Amino acid sequence: MVNTIEESLEHLQEAVPPEGYGNKLSMYLIALEAWRRGIKVNFYTIENPDNKILVRYSLELGEKVHHFESSLGDKLSREAFDVCEYKDLTKKYLKDAGVKVPEGKVFSTSEDESVVLEFVKTLSFPIVVKPLDENAGKGVFSNISSEKDLLDILSYLRDDLGYAYIMIEEFIPGTEYRILTVDGKVEGAVNRIPANIIGNGEDTIQKLIRLKNRSKADNPALSKKRIRVDKEVQRIIESQGYTLESVLEEGERLFLRTKSNISAGGDPVEITENLSKEIISTAEKATQAVPGLNIAGLDMIIDPDTGEPTVIEVNTKPMIGLHVFPVEGTAKDVVKPIVDFYFPETKETERSNLYFDFDAKIAPLDNLTVYEVQVHPLKNAGPKFTRKYEVKLSEAKSGLSAAIRLKALKLGIHGYVNRISSDCYEIVAAGENETVLDKFIGYFSAEDSDFNVSEIEEQIWEKSVNTGFVIKKVTVEELEDRLKKEQKRYEILHEKLDQAEKQLLNEEEKTAGLLEKIEALQAEIDEFKESFDALNKKYISAVLNLGEKERALISFENTMGEKIKALETEIVQLKKKYKDTVNSKSWKLTRPLRRYNPVGKSRKK
């Protein structure tokens, strides 16, 4: 079971909008923590040759300004950046400091294969192959056990992925940890478990992968870290004697990768409290071995018998969301020490329980007319007094939502009003103190008011609250009905896609007909995407700060765009498989037979 945002740190519940999920999570978490302390946040774009919209941000307090790219801040030294950019140089620095690293060597992918194989003999199988200057587990192949697999992988990295240099290392067996250090001290650690699925005795491996990806949708750190069925995953499935159509027994776990990178679908389990003194000491020694490496993500392999740690990689832009939103374990507030490091004068500042509209702030950054957006801190820092109210009416009253919002804005109250039904409203309000909220709610409950209020139920609200005061214009029932319809259409499309893929893989002689099905499915997905985009625009105002039940429903809508992209990616893969089949030797050899195939002839007429 994947932890969701509701199982996270209390001060982040209801505070992370879907726009902040995935690769933007580190940026949003650090910016939010700083802003809540009274620090000004600036989001801006930078120029790049591809004209992509690359968003960066700065934190400003008085005359002090610090710039960031995700979790990488400007206090990182140039030397530390350069050292960690190249894996062989990183290993040299660590080895010189007495930190254990894997034995290995760098090769050009154009190197004669015999030279590579000769070096491998000095290590012995299994081995690891990784690109020299890549990160996030891209292009990494671990636990390679034969010359044939090695040569196939080298060809793939050179010809298909275009890497010029690779590193070949000894394979270190054991448990892999990702350890986060800030200013030379360990602040968090997760056990990274490779992408995996658990059988239920009914569903195929392909469906289990899809279900696992779906379970990650509500976790801000994992929602976009899907398990993708690539060459490595297919190779591992086949090596275990399975295919994508195989059904695993109840409770059987199948690991789909040898590498445990979260970006490749792995699962983070928080284990900071269980770290040995040796592991902590090694992590801090490794960080201090590289001058100016103040924030780092260390990948370690822990020997299961001796507990000895081996550092296999160092990252200067670590994913901090792994520690804040782990799959299992207690979430760690690793964001606070980062902001403490850059702004130590705010360490004792009590953070606000409000959060800003992240999407509204970064959406205007188009790199054409808007290059920077500023988020000014609140005048009065610190937490607000918050309450949730359920207001019931003796009879329906038109215009009540607008009246509630207007009164809230006049009193400087933040939050929202949601019309649950014609005679019931939900209000979440955050004000400077209890007196302000009493005045606010008393305006509607007074006996001489004409709002027809029959009952008000008050509850303590400990989650975060949005800035400003908004009206949610959609009821839960309406939204649930629409989302159920869209989900059904989505599942139907997936079933059709599965059928087309199965035919393509197992019935080569029908490839020509499958292309038509693929094109028809593509058209249907395009039509569905247009319909969904229209629905998304209509209900975008309902997304902000919903309650627990509503958030679960809206989460599906927010991730639908990613699922559609995944479908489109699968379509592209199917078309590639079709092209490969047509260009295959067997297809060309059977061309004379197809000319006299009466079925084929009738199809062309």
Side-chain angles (χ1 to χ4, degrees), residues 531-557:
S531 173
F532 178 78
D533 287 344
L535 176 63
N536 187 57
K537 290 180 181 178
K538 188 173 182 180
Y539 290 97
I540 192 65
S541 61
V543 176
L544 190 60
N545 294 308
L546 298 181
E548 294 181 4
K549 178 181 177 183
E550 294 91 337
R551 178 173 289 280
L553 298 173
I554 292 298
S555 294
F556 177 82
E557 181 185 11

Side-chain angles (χ1 to χ4, degrees), residues 320-373:
I320 61 177
L322 308 183
H323 309 275
V324 182
F325 301 102
V327 168
E328 297 177 23
T330 303
K332 294 284 291 183
D333 186 3
V334 299
V335 186
K336 183 181 186 303
I338 293 176
V339 179
D340 287 348
F341 174 67
Y342 277 88
F343 296 91
E345 63 270 38
T346 67
K347 276 186 178 182
E348 304 304 321
T349 301
E350 193 173 8
R351 64 168 67 97
S352 170
N353 53 350
L354 300 180
Y355 71 93
F356 56 83
D357 188 341
F358 183 54
D359 185 47
K361 299 304 179 185
I362 65 172
L365 294 170
D366 57 7
N367 227 19
L368 296 173
T369 58
V370 180
Y371 296 90
E372 181 178 357
V373 173

Side-chain angles (χ1 to χ4, degrees), residues 263-289:
S263 57
D267 296 333
V269 177
E270 231 309 319
I271 46 86
T272 305
E273 304 305 322
N274 300 326
L275 293 179
S276 68
K277 292 182 178 179
E278 183 180 7
I279 293 174
I280 294 174
S281 174
T282 299
E284 294 180 350
K285 183 189 292 185
T287 302
Q288 295 160 10

Side-chain angles (χ1 to χ4, degrees), residues 84-117:
C84 297
E85 187 75 5
Y86 296 95
K87 294 177 174 60
D88 59 334
L89 191 56
T90 307
K91 289 170 61 175
K92 182 181 184 304
Y93 271 66
L94 299 187
K95 195 171 184 178
D96 289 346
V99 176
K100 184 181 179 183
V101 296
E103 293 297 327
K105 186 176 181 180
V106 176
F107 290 92
S108 166
T109 52
S110 61
E111 185 74 70
D112 189 277
E113 293 177 348
S114 62
V115 176
V116 175
L117 294 176

Side-chain angles (χ1 to χ4, degrees), residues 406-413 431-432 436 439-441:
L406 181 60
K407 189 64 177 177
L409 293 175
K410 287 182 177 179
L411 293 174
I413 291 174
E432 291 301 322
V436 173
K439 183 177 180 180
F440 168 65
I441 206 67

